[in-house]
Amino acid sequence: MKHLLLCLILLAFMFISYPIISVYAEENNFEFRVEPIFPDSQIGNKGYYHFKGTPHDTVTLQARIINDSEQNLNVIIRSLNAYSGNQGILYQTEPVLKGTEIINESFQFQKIATTPTEVTLEPLQSELVEFTLNIPNINGTLLGSVEFRVFKGTKELTQKEENSQLLIDQYKAINIGVQIDVTDYNETPSMELDKPFFSPEQIAIMVPMENSYPVIVPNISGTYKITKNEDTTFSMTGEIPSFKMAPMTTFHYPIRWSEGTLEPGTYDVSLSLDVNGSTQSYEQTISIENNEVQKTQEKMEERGEVAIAPKTFPWTTIMIVLFIIVLILIWMIKKPKSKRKDRKYPGQNPNDSY
């Protein structure tokens, strides 16, 4: 019996102390740096290329890529356009979000930039690379970026659950911005806002914003207020943090739903924007339909954002129960056995002995 109890204790401890399966990121062994070499016409030194350009001229820029790792690295180089978003200027090959675009093709940085496609560096080696820019005949500022990327591979993580796979791209990217002031532009830019609409995918009221000016709008901030016609008690207010817009770009500013239950109805959208010190007011009406509310619910369920109790195995409870069982078993083993002569029966004299 004693050996059986010892085996049970050993098995219980092995179960409790069994290591949890974890996925750890592999050691980052593809470190590199990029040092821009600014031209003589460089304006300031803020970490990105900034200079005045003349239409139809060709400008050559340089950068040094340094391999800080102990393995060969293939550095992929590409040019990126400048788009706008609610958190500022974005550099991408193609816009990711719907409504984000450059409204004038002449302001697409990719059209005027020529870069090497790839550079291979040996361990601890550095190399000087050049890329050329054909300055377009525009009025204002051209904005873009040059990206240096090292791709290590795609790691696949497979879970035990059916249809549960996760693909992780491992890479490191360094972007260096390029700002070309082709001509001076003295007109003060303003924002153009179109009619808002509700997005079930974003669970937000989207306000189309456009910078139709050929210059960067650096300081945009403000507040918003959403009210409902059928419910005077409903009010959703918030701040619009400061952000920038790239020249000749548009995007949809999201006002996330954060107050009460989403219901069909007619809502009034009011914005007060501060654009470079000038105030702009905006008021529009939006209708949210029953089908949009239903679609929103479906999207939330797909992302697991609804309050559904997960069907998970109660590991914590099992471990607590096993721990209690182990304590009981240990107590039973260590408990001293009663001597036979100490047992008492009805009518037996405690001093009697056999």
Side-chain angles (χ1 to χ4, degrees), residues 150-162:
V150 172
F151 181 75
K152 188 173 183 181
T154 300
K155 189 171 184 179
E156 180 177 323
L157 304 179
T158 303
Q159 305 295 332
K160 292 183 178 180
E161 293 81 3
E162 186 178 358

Side-chain angles (χ1 to χ4, degrees), residues 36 38 42-50 175-177 179 218 244:
F38 299 126
Q42 174 74 13
I43 300 173
N45 187 11
K46 296 182 179 179
Y48 60 91
Y49 300 100
H50 184 192
N175 287 321
I176 300 179
Q179 179 176 335
K244 300 179 181 180

Side-chain angles (χ1 to χ4, degrees), residues 77-145:
I77 306 173
R78 60 179 182 172
S79 58
L80 305 176
N81 290 328
Y83 296 95
S84 295
N86 62 303
Q87 295 186 358
I89 298 175
L90 311 172
Y91 297 101
Q92 301 169 340
T93 54
E94 295 288 342
V96 176
L97 298 177
K98 183 178 180 181
T100 302
E101 61 179 340
I102 297 174
I103 59 179
N104 186 326
E105 290 186 357
S106 299
F107 287 80
Q108 294 184 13
F109 183 75
Q110 287 178 296
K111 288 183 175 295
I112 65 105
T114 302
T115 70
T117 56
E118 187 174 347
V119 173
T120 300
L121 297 177
E122 295 181 357
L124 306 179
Q125 180 191 6
S126 67
E127 184 168 333
L128 184 69
V129 296
E130 294 184 345
F131 47 97
T132 59
L133 307 176
N134 296 314
I135 310 301
N137 185 17
I138 62 171
N139 181 27
T141 296
L142 181 64
L143 196 63
S145 175

Side-chain angles (χ1 to χ4, degrees), residues 28-288:
N28 187 355
N29 196 26
F30 50 106
E31 286 293 335
F32 73 102
R33 291 174 287 133
V34 179
E35 296 178 351
I37 299 175
F38 299 126
D40 294 337
S41 58
Q42 174 74 13
I43 300 173
N45 187 11
K46 296 182 179 179
Y48 60 91
Y49 300 100
H50 184 192
F51 57 93
K52 288 184 176 294
T54 302
H56 308 299
D57 277 0
T58 298
V59 177
T60 300
L61 298 179
Q62 295 179 324
R64 182 172 297 279
I65 310 174
I66 304 168
N67 182 2
D68 289 326
S69 73
E70 297 182 355
Q71 66 179 24
N72 291 337
L73 294 183
N74 292 324
V75 183
I76 299 172
I77 306 173
R78 60 179 182 172
S79 58
L80 305 176
N81 290 328
Y83 296 95
S84 295
N86 62 303
Q87 295 186 358
I89 298 175
L90 311 172
Y91 297 101
Q92 301 169 340
T93 54
E94 295 288 342
V96 176
L97 298 177
K98 183 178 180 181
T100 302
E101 61 179 340
I102 297 174
I103 59 179
N104 186 326
E105 290 186 357
S106 299
F107 287 80
Q108 294 184 13
F109 183 75
Q110 287 178 296
K111 288 183 175 295
I112 65 105
T114 302
T115 70
T117 56
E118 187 174 347
V119 173
T120 300
L121 297 177
E122 295 181 357
L124 306 179
Q125 180 191 6
S126 67
E127 184 168 333
L128 184 69
V129 296
E130 294 184 345
F131 47 97
T132 59
L133 307 176
N134 296 314
I135 310 301
N137 185 17
I138 62 171
N139 181 27
T141 296
L142 181 64
L143 196 63
S145 175
V146 178
E147 181 188 71
F148 303 82
R149 176 183 294 224
V150 172
F151 181 75
K152 188 173 183 181
T154 300
K155 189 171 184 179
E156 180 177 323
L157 304 179
T158 303
Q159 305 295 332
K160 292 183 178 180
E161 293 81 3
E162 186 178 358
N163 298 326
S164 179
Q165 278 189 339
L166 181 62
L167 299 178
I168 299 178
D169 287 340
Q170 294 180 304
Y171 67 87
K172 177 179 178 179
I174 298 175
N175 287 321
I176 300 179
V178 181
Q179 179 176 335
I180 308 171
D181 297 330
V182 182
T183 58
D184 293 331
Y185 192 85
N186 298 321
E187 186 176 348
T188 302
S190 60
M191 298 294 301
E192 296 180 24
L193 284 74
D194 206 345
K195 186 174 178 60
F197 62 93
F198 181 77
S199 169
E201 291 79 11
Q202 298 288 330
I203 314 178
I205 294 177
M206 314 297 286
V207 180
M209 293 188 175
E210 180 178 310
N211 173 22
S212 59
Y213 292 82
V215 290
I216 301 170
V217 182
N219 299 306
I220 306 170
S221 61
T223 59
Y224 65 83
K225 183 176 182 180
I226 314 295
T227 56
K228 187 177 182 181
N229 290 354
E230 299 88 350
D231 183 2
T232 57
T233 63
F234 178 87
S235 178
M236 188 169 71
T237 60
E239 301 285 334
I240 298 177
S242 180
F243 67 95
K244 300 179 181 180
M245 283 195 72
M248 293 289 182
T249 57
T250 182
F251 80 104
H252 296 163
Y253 188 93
I255 300 177
R256 309 293 181 187
W257 198 269
S258 60
E259 188 70 32
T261 304
L262 174 64
E263 296 178 348
T266 303
Y267 296 84
D268 292 325
V269 181
S270 299
L271 275 74
S272 178
L273 294 177
D274 185 321
V275 183
N276 289 332
S278 299
T279 301
Q280 285 187 233
S281 298
Y282 169 87
E283 293 185 3
Q284 289 283 349
T285 299
I286 179 176
S287 294
I288 300 179

